[in-house]
Amino acid sequence: MALGATKGGEDAALTPWQPVPEWGKEMYESRLKMIGGVTGIGFITNDLKRTIADLKKKGAKTAVDGESQTFGRFTDPDGNVLFLAQPAKPKIRRAGVSALGFVTVASRDSKKTGEFFRKALGMRKQRAESDEEGFDSYQLSPKATAITPFTPRKDIYDNPADYDADMAHIGEETGIGFTTSDIYRLQEQLLAKGVRFKEKAEAQDWGGIRARFFDPDDNVYTLVEYKG
């Protein structure tokens, strides 16, 4: 099941998954530890205040960050934290989410990771709307979901434990996947650019072909070619 904020739109799908013992002890236990954390997944809303109010009515735990009133968060039933972001000047005020806007990725050097997205994957840099430095985003197309690499800094956290938690995310499985119509060709192109692979492209039992690659911080991403 894939949940998309815009049906048939260009933004990414969100795919809920549940760890099962059949994955093997190491992977199963590592994935269990990921449940209940900050996902880095961000939805766009054109009316943060009303969207937060609607989520509260449905029993979700919510919060608005800082004094800007344009960025907030909510928690799903498993304790996973997701973000809500409102444009500074929305064209129309409407409650609810309009797109899966971005996914954050912790990095030791966000500029270096951004250059990796730009040069290796052909993504385009988008300046951040916020005044915070180091939160530029990268997209494959103007309406596509962005990836936002950021370098944790102690001064942006109210709780020191949150800084430690984000630092611990560096070098993890991001859960971010890219689809392609020719995975073997793309794999060769990425290898030629010096991209390191954790797993080369291989046919899967479910019918598609999958590969997994690293960014400069050893964060892992997935390439998928669907068949039929």
Side-chain angles (χ1 to χ4, degrees):
M1 177 177 67
L3 307 176
T6 55
K7 186 177 181 181
E10 296 180 54
D11 54 329
L14 175 61
T15 305
W17 50 270
Q18 178 180 339
V20 293
E22 287 76 12
W23 292 358
K25 182 179 179 181
E26 182 179 353
M27 181 175 287
Y28 174 64
E29 292 181 351
S30 67
R31 296 302 184 272
L32 280 178
K33 293 178 181 178
M34 296 172 68
I35 299 173
V38 177
T39 65
I41 296 169
F43 291 96
I44 304 301
T45 178
N46 292 317
D47 194 325
L48 180 63
K49 184 177 180 180
R50 288 172 58 197
T51 300
I52 288 286
D54 286 350
L55 287 168
K56 281 185 177 179
K57 289 179 182 178
K58 295 174 181 177
K61 182 180 178 181
T62 63
V64 176
D65 292 12
E67 300 178 359
S68 67
Q69 300 297 305
T70 59
F71 195 87
R73 59 188 67 207
F74 66 97
T75 304
D76 74 8
D78 284 306
N80 298 305
V81 178
L82 302 97
F83 299 132
L84 289 168
Q86 175 189 295
K89 297 180 180 179
K91 294 180 180 179
I92 185 172
R93 296 277 184 174
R94 181 178 297 152
V97 297
S98 58
L100 202 168
F102 61 91
V103 182
T104 61
V105 174
S107 167
R108 293 183 183 87
D109 186 335
S110 60
K111 290 184 178 180
K112 183 177 180 180
T113 302
E115 283 299 287
F116 170 81
F117 290 140
R118 192 176 66 82
K119 294 180 179 179
L121 301 178
M123 303 180 82
R124 296 180 180 179
K125 181 179 178 179
Q126 305 293 326
R127 292 290 300 174
E129 285 194 16
S130 70
D131 295 329
E132 287 279 0
E133 292 185 5
F135 283 88
D136 293 326
S137 295
Y138 297 81
Q139 296 171 288
L140 287 170
S141 63
K143 293 184 179 180
T145 299
I147 301 179
T148 306
F150 75 101
T151 301
R153 305 191 320 267
K154 291 184 178 180
D155 62 287
I156 65 175
Y157 296 89
D158 294 327
N159 185 347
D162 292 337
Y163 167 79
D164 293 335
D166 276 348
M167 288 297 295
H169 284 308
I170 298 175
E172 70 173 5
E173 294 275 354
T174 64
I176 297 171
F178 298 87
T179 58
T180 177
S181 59
D182 191 338
I183 194 169
Y184 293 108
R185 180 183 178 190
L186 178 56
Q187 178 175 267
E188 290 305 311
Q189 291 173 341
L190 293 176
L191 286 169
K193 294 177 181 179
V195 175
R196 298 168 298 127
F197 276 74
K198 183 172 185 177
E199 294 176 359
K200 295 286 187 66
E202 186 175 350
Q204 303 296 307
D205 293 340
W206 45 266
I209 307 171
R210 186 187 69 191
R212 298 158 75 203
F213 65 93
F214 295 105
D215 72 8
D217 284 301
D218 289 341
N219 295 310
V220 181
Y221 306 80
T222 302
L223 290 177
V224 177
E225 179 182 340
Y226 292 104
K227 293 294 186 180

